Amino acid sequence: MNAARISDKSTGSRIMQAGKAILRAPETGLFIAILLSLGMIAYLDSSLAFFSRYSRQTLYHQIALYGVLAIGAAVVIISGGIDLSIGSVAAFASVLSAKLVTSWLPGASVDASNPPGAITVFIAIVLTMLAGLIIGIIHAQVIDRIGLPPFITTLASMAGLRSISTLLAENRSINVSFNSFRWLGKEWQNSVVVFAIVAVIFSAILGLTVIGRHLFAMGGNETAARLSGVRIRRLRAFAYGTSAMLAALGGVMFTGKSGQGQSTLGVGYELWAITAAVVGGCSLAGGVGSIRGTVLGLGLIQIIIKGTGQVVREFEVSLPWIRLISDAPWLNPGWRTFAFKGIDSTQIEGLILGLVVVLAVAFNQRLRVRRG
Amino acid sequence: MQRRHFGIATLGLITSAITLAGCGGGGDKAAPAPSGSPSAASSTPAKGGKMRIIFVTNSNADWWNAMEKGMQDAATELGVTAEMRRNESQSQGQIRLLEDALSLEDVAGVAVSVFEAESPGIADALRRLKEAGKVVITVDSDIAPNNIDARRAYIGTFNVKAGEAAGKAAAAIRPAGGKTAVFVGTAAAANARERRDGFFAGAGPKFTQVEIFEDQTDKNKAQVNVQTALSKYGDLGVLVGLWSYNAPRIAEEVSRTAEIRKKVSVVTFDLDELAVGHLEKQNIDATVCQNPYDMGFQGVKLLKALINKDDKAVAEVLPDGKVRDTGVRIVVPSKASPVKGDNVISIEEMKAWLASKGLKST
């Protein structure tokens, strides 16, 4: 009887502890924010179109495409660095892969009725990712050997790679309309599978391997990590190599979605990737963060952007309290015609996203300070 | 050690910069001509005695490839050198390109597609070119009437008329009208505003705009906007793509399910290469095409005539001495389309015309 009571007590306390651990987890806040956002969207848009199958698929597609970039950004941020070249690497990869499958590789073709074979496409994608990896390793080498700050190194790449992409593309889009190349990015299911594989691999590397622990140590205090015997140069090459390689993969996927290799692809995408990582709990000071947090952060951002597009309608914002105020008898009649007329969702999504980023990061920081 | 590496890197960068600068075209003589100065009163010919002409675009979309082809065909035929300099969708970028043209002494004529009709900075840059003795015309997108003195002539399409043609096509395809979503890079751009206004004027009161979706020329965003519109407005009737790249993004989304395709009508502008296949598959009901090839061809012809002060040749291009309208064609999937008129052609006829000019899109 006593033994059974003790066992019940210990099970109960274990459940309590697990519950507390879940509540304390940095991702819990994000999860709650996502649920609140979904609730808000459902409340404001009674048609529930946001939750339709088609709408959900497009949301998953967007999360998958940007997610590949965001995971690379998170790895670099956790290691204590920053990669501003993600968008330009994606553009370079877009042009390079399109050139490879349409003209440079044996078996390349521009003709949609006679598309290049699977091997040609596979080689093109592998070579493109390899090029991304090399770019990332060069970033790490420049940071370590020349001593340039990561911000400057990747800023230079951001400008330089965009220029190289424009030169390679001869200032025009390269059409790759055949499905054998587009499959990675065209259909949402394929993109989600690729993203899930990438997320699981890098989550495991960061959470379960020595490399992962060393990356956190390096991001937290590089000098201490070096003195403890951590091989900083190799780790930095791994972090920047990962970021650029995933940016290249993202470039291939975005190219698949649009059907065109473009040097103008990905302008500002590095900011999306970094924002997702930061909202997801990665500290720009390094040493803190997770892939699952980054994925949730990206999910929150995409839900808010898509939700804004869904909820905001021209000539009217469906916020009941605005109607309440505008109908109030004490209000100046001129004010009742609220000046929210003529707005489009695409015009205000940046404002709403900015507010959410500030709130999410402030919340994360407060949580971190409380935990000490 | 680090200092040595830094030194090597700096030396390498300086050497690369000098090498690149050395490769930057022997014809570019960097001799800024101050506006209004006597030395700026005329332009000297390029190397080999060929007249040099520059076209400055307002974006770097594929649409310009057709104009470049027309420009090059005319340059070959008329024995001049013509080159295109593409702007990256910014007013400041276009001003910089115009200032570059000013600093090139051997450039005798400049054709520009004005990024923002009302931009005082662009108007000032055009005036400085004019004062430096270069002939300035506008193509495709004209300067605002209050700055009309900044250019000699305009060659292009009147976007309001093009919009009206698109609106009339929509009315023919969908006589009952419907809720309309509009897709564009920047809604504030002059051609976007004019096309949109023209569309609703031509389509009539049965067509109502529900929203304009902007994408800032991000093609992924352009497609996401179509997805948002389709899920947001269940009773959407018409999707209008104002800029050329909007067409394939709309067509790809509406063709995903037969149910959506049946419900909506798609009217677009210009003929992106990827849109050709969608017109053949009837994923686009009609597209209003300008003639950028002709704009490029006539632009070079006019600039040469103006530089040589050949009044007869000028009159050939400009019947009224100021403006040439290169017109529009409405391309439909087949002759069975309800859209009728003298300027309506099928995609097959359009493809034959494109092939005759060595083009894949307009």
Side-chain angles (χ1 to χ4, degrees):
Chain A
M1 186 74 176
N2 270 350
R5 252 187 220 163
I6 290 164
S7 164
D8 278 357
K9 221 176 181 181
S10 65
T11 311
S13 71
R14 252 185 256 144
I15 291 169
M16 285 281 282
Q17 277 178 349
K20 277 181 186 171
I22 289 170
L23 281 175
R24 278 184 198 155
E27 288 80 22
T28 307
L30 277 171
F31 195 69
I32 293 168
I34 287 174
L35 289 179
L36 282 174
S37 304
L38 291 174
M40 182 77 96
I41 292 163
Y43 175 68
L44 293 174
D45 182 21
S46 54
S47 73
L48 297 183
F50 180 86
F51 301 93
S52 70
R53 199 172 145 203
Y54 174 73
S55 190
R56 275 182 284 130
Q57 287 172 356
T58 57
L59 176 70
Y60 302 149
H61 202 173
Q62 283 302 104
I63 291 174
L65 291 169
Y66 285 103
V68 173
L69 307 181
I71 288 171
V75 171
V76 169
I77 289 170
I78 287 169
S79 78
I82 192 87
D83 189 352
L84 298 178
S85 69
I86 289 171
S88 294
V89 173
F92 176 71
S94 175
V95 172
L96 179 65
S97 58
K99 276 278 185 191
L100 285 168
V101 288
T102 57
S103 52
W104 287 351
L105 284 177
S109 165
V110 285
D111 187 1
S113 58
N114 180 29
I119 295 174
T120 308
V121 170
F122 178 75
I123 293 171
I125 294 172
V126 169
L127 285 178
T128 304
M129 289 178 66
L130 203 62
L133 181 68
I134 293 167
I135 290 167
I137 292 172
I138 291 171
H139 286 155
Q141 294 300 310
V142 171
I143 294 163
D144 277 327
R145 294 184 187 277
I146 301 177
L148 284 186
F151 187 92
I152 302 296
T153 306
T154 54
L155 187 71
S157 272
M158 183 172 99
L161 284 172
R162 180 78 58 193
S163 214
I164 292 171
S165 310
T166 310
L167 284 171
L168 283 180
E170 295 165 52
N171 237 329
R172 56 196 69 186
S173 304
I174 304 161
N175 288 342
V176 271
S177 49
F178 30 88
N179 285 334
S180 57
F181 179 82
R182 295 187 64 189
W183 69 275
L184 269 180
K186 190 181 176 189
E187 301 300 337
W188 71 275
Q189 303 95 322
N190 301 336
S191 302
V192 167
V193 169
V194 173
F195 169 57
I197 292 170
V198 169
V200 168
I201 289 173
F202 283 95
S203 199
I205 289 174
L206 287 181
L208 304 172
T209 66
V210 175
I211 295 176
R213 282 195 289 279
H214 283 181
L215 274 173
F216 279 102
M218 177 180 151
N221 188 332
E222 193 177 314
T223 312
R226 184 182 287 119
L227 293 172
S228 309
V230 173
R231 304 173 94 162
I232 298 294
R233 283 188 179 178
R234 283 192 186 181
L235 273 180
R236 203 177 329 265
F238 174 81
Y240 282 88
T242 296
S243 175
M245 188 180 71
L246 291 182
L249 176 63
V252 170
M253 290 167 74
F254 275 107
T255 307
K257 191 180 183 196
S258 70
Q260 287 180 317
Q262 302 150 345
S263 61
T264 52
L265 175 94
V267 175
Y269 284 14
E270 55 279 337
L271 296 179
W272 286 105
I274 292 167
T275 306
V278 172
V279 169
C282 293
S283 164
L284 283 175
V288 177
S290 69
I291 298 300
R292 59 179 184 279
T294 303
V295 172
L296 285 173
L298 180 66
L300 176 64
I301 289 171
Q302 290 297 335
I303 285 169
I304 286 165
I305 290 173
K306 193 164 175 57
T308 307
Q310 200 72 48
V311 170
V312 176
R313 288 174 186 260
E314 202 182 21
F315 307 123
E316 181 187 333
V317 175
S318 314
L319 288 175
W321 62 267
I322 288 178
R323 286 205 201 114
L324 208 77
I325 293 170
S326 65
D327 289 343
W330 45 266
L331 204 68
N332 183 329
W335 293 0
R336 286 179 199 168
T337 51
F338 210 115
F340 261 143
K341 283 191 171 180
I343 58 164
D344 290 323
S345 58
T346 42
Q347 292 169 346
I348 64 158
E349 65 186 24
L351 173 68
I352 292 173
L353 180 66
L355 283 171
V356 170
V357 168
V358 169
L359 287 174
V361 175
F363 180 75
N364 271 340
Q365 275 189 349
R366 299 260 319 163
L367 207 68
R368 222 171 274 151
V369 169
R370 274 193 189 178
R371 277 198 222 108
Chain B
M1 186 71 176
Q2 270 193 354
R3 199 175 281 179
R4 201 185 72 191
H5 284 303
F6 180 76
I8 293 167
T10 312
L11 195 67
L13 279 172
I14 293 168
T15 314
S16 314
I18 292 168
T19 312
L20 281 171
C23 294
D28 288 12
K29 294 178 191 171
S35 59
S37 71
S39 62
S42 66
S43 301
T44 56
K47 273 183 183 173
K50 272 191 176 182
M51 182 185 289
R52 190 176 176 194
I53 286 165
I54 283 183
F55 273 58
V56 177
T57 73
N58 63 17
S59 76
N60 68 357
D62 290 348
W63 187 83
W64 297 101
N65 299 344
M67 187 182 286
E68 192 172 19
K69 181 72 172 52
M71 193 185 95
Q72 294 302 349
D73 283 358
T76 309
E77 192 179 306
L78 301 170
V80 302
T81 301
E83 57 193 87
M84 183 170 269
R85 301 209 167 179
R86 296 180 190 232
N87 180 34
E88 292 279 355
S89 303
Q90 292 284 339
S91 276
Q92 286 305 323
Q94 188 162 68
I95 292 169
R96 185 179 64 81
L97 289 173
L98 292 171
E99 285 169 351
D100 287 350
L102 179 67
S103 69
L104 300 174
E105 203 183 316
D106 57 344
V107 170
V110 178
V112 56
S113 172
V114 178
F115 182 76
E116 269 186 38
E118 303 279 353
S119 166
I122 293 174
D124 289 346
L126 294 182
R127 286 191 190 100
R128 279 197 294 272
L129 280 167
K130 203 173 149 189
E131 285 163 12
K134 300 179 196 301
V135 177
V136 179
I137 64 166
T138 50
V139 288
D140 170 50
S141 181
D142 199 8
I143 196 104
N146 55 324
N147 288 319
I148 215 84
D149 61 293
R151 55 85 167 153
R152 168 65 181 79
Y154 167 71
I155 298 177
T157 311
F158 298 112
N159 280 301
V160 175
K161 276 190 187 172
E164 281 173 9
K168 283 175 185 161
I173 294 161
R174 202 180 184 87
K179 290 188 174 175
T180 305
V182 180
F183 303 90
V184 69
T186 311
N191 68 350
R193 281 204 316 262
E194 289 166 6
R195 285 177 184 186
R196 194 209 72 91
D197 293 348
F199 177 87
F200 286 103
K206 288 179 182 169
F207 291 79
T208 52
Q209 178 186 296
V210 287
E211 192 164 338
I212 296 184
F213 291 88
E214 292 180 83
D215 52 56
Q216 277 76 42
T217 70
D218 178 342
K219 290 171 187 174
N220 178 51
K221 174 80 176 155
Q223 194 154 348
V224 172
N225 282 345
V226 181
Q227 294 167 343
T228 304
L230 289 172
S231 61
K232 185 173 177 179
Y233 301 103
D235 53 352
L236 194 63
V238 187
L239 292 93
V240 180
L242 293 184
W243 285 4
S244 58
Y245 64 84
N246 290 123
R249 271 84 221 175
I250 297 172
E252 191 151 316
E253 274 315 304
V254 299
S255 63
R256 280 188 192 276
T257 64
E259 188 196 350
I260 292 177
R261 182 64 193 101
K262 264 187 206 166
K263 271 182 11 186
V264 300
S265 306
V266 179
V267 179
T268 61
F269 286 82
D270 301 319
L271 190 60
D272 188 281
E273 196 178 330
L274 289 178
V276 174
H278 283 297
L279 261 155
E280 287 175 316
K281 290 177 195 160
Q282 307 202 352
N283 295 330
I284 296 171
D285 294 299
T287 190
V288 176
C289 290
Q290 301 178 72
N291 194 345
Y293 177 89
D294 198 36
M295 290 180 207
F297 194 96
Q298 299 297 339
V300 171
K301 206 171 156 183
L302 177 62
L303 278 172
K304 188 186 178 190
L306 289 169
I307 292 161
N308 288 340
K309 297 188 171 61
D310 181 349
D311 293 340
K312 196 179 160 197
V314 170
E316 272 178 32
V317 183
L318 298 175
D320 71 348
K322 292 276 179 199
V323 171
R324 181 187 180 96
D325 183 1
T326 47
V328 293
R329 281 173 291 184
I330 301 169
V331 184
V332 291
S334 70
K335 287 285 179 195
S337 166
V339 184
K340 305 287 180 201
D342 294 340
N343 58 349
V344 178
I345 60 170
S346 71
I347 185 63
E348 283 310 314
E349 288 169 316
M350 188 63 178
K351 276 171 74 179
W353 180 82
L354 288 172
S356 74
K357 300 291 180 196
L359 297 169
K360 288 181 177 174
S361 63
T362 71

